[in-house]
Amino acid sequence: MNIAFFLLPKQEVVCLTYDTTLRQALERMEYHRYSAVPILHSDGTYYGTVTEGDLLWFMKSRPDLTFETTNKVKLAEVPLRVTNKAVNIDANMDDMISLAKVQNFVPVVDDRNHFIGLVRRSEIIDYCQQGLSQRS
């Protein structure tokens, strides 16, 4: 099955850019209740994924940083502890399943590494469950 069938398109995905402030990232993640969000370069290419843990560890390591001053820090300064890998739109389901084991979602990119959307782990689990049900 083609992974495009499971794709949540970019227009429906909460994304951040490298230039987003720490405050903006915290507020958007809180508002949408997400624990991880894709980060894009200004040209739309996928950079990585920031997690709540990344933000918390960064704030912990900066005792001079207060919540009030988080609007002066760019997301580019926050080290990402985990590398969430993206797949190309032409990837197969086996690639998706192996990434979904360790990622909440799998970013999907085109041939130029432009982010085009993501596939949620829950969609992949549902797909696998249907396959198991059909075998029974």
Side-chain angles (χ1 to χ4, degrees):
M1 178 165 286
N2 189 314
I3 66 170
F5 178 77
F6 302 100
L7 186 72
L8 182 64
K10 178 181 178 179
Q11 297 84 343
E12 298 177 30
V13 177
V14 174
C15 297
L16 303 172
T17 66
Y18 217 54
D19 294 330
T20 301
T21 67
L22 181 56
R23 176 82 170 253
Q24 291 169 324
L26 289 164
E27 288 174 349
R28 288 194 79 190
M29 290 173 76
E30 177 187 28
Y31 178 81
H32 293 283
R33 297 180 170 250
Y34 291 149
S35 59
V37 178
I39 303 172
L40 308 180
H41 287 289
S42 59
D43 66 358
T45 55
Y46 176 70
Y47 172 75
T49 297
V50 66
T51 67
E52 288 175 325
D54 295 331
L55 302 178
L56 292 170
W57 286 112
F58 179 76
M59 292 178 73
K60 182 179 183 261
S61 71
R62 301 269 310 265
D64 58 316
L65 185 64
T66 65
F67 185 72
E68 290 74 29
T69 60
T70 55
N71 63 335
K72 296 179 177 149
V73 178
K74 298 285 185 190
L75 201 51
E77 298 177 48
V78 177
L80 305 180
R81 295 176 305 124
V82 177
T83 302
N84 273 22
K85 294 181 181 173
V87 296
N88 187 281
I89 188 66
D90 297 327
N92 62 42
M93 282 306 292
D94 289 342
D95 296 332
M96 295 289 293
I97 291 168
S98 42
L99 287 176
K101 289 190 303 187
V102 294
Q103 298 176 191
N104 290 335
F105 58 84
V106 179
V108 181
V109 296
D110 64 14
D111 291 335
R112 297 174 301 155
N113 197 38
H114 284 96
F115 179 80
I116 58 173
L118 59 82
V119 177
R120 295 180 179 138
R121 184 186 326 192
S122 61
E123 297 288 330
I124 298 166
I125 292 171
D126 288 345
Y127 168 79
C128 293
Q129 184 178 21
Q130 287 174 357
L132 291 173
S133 297
Q134 292 173 356
R135 289 185 199 163
S136 303

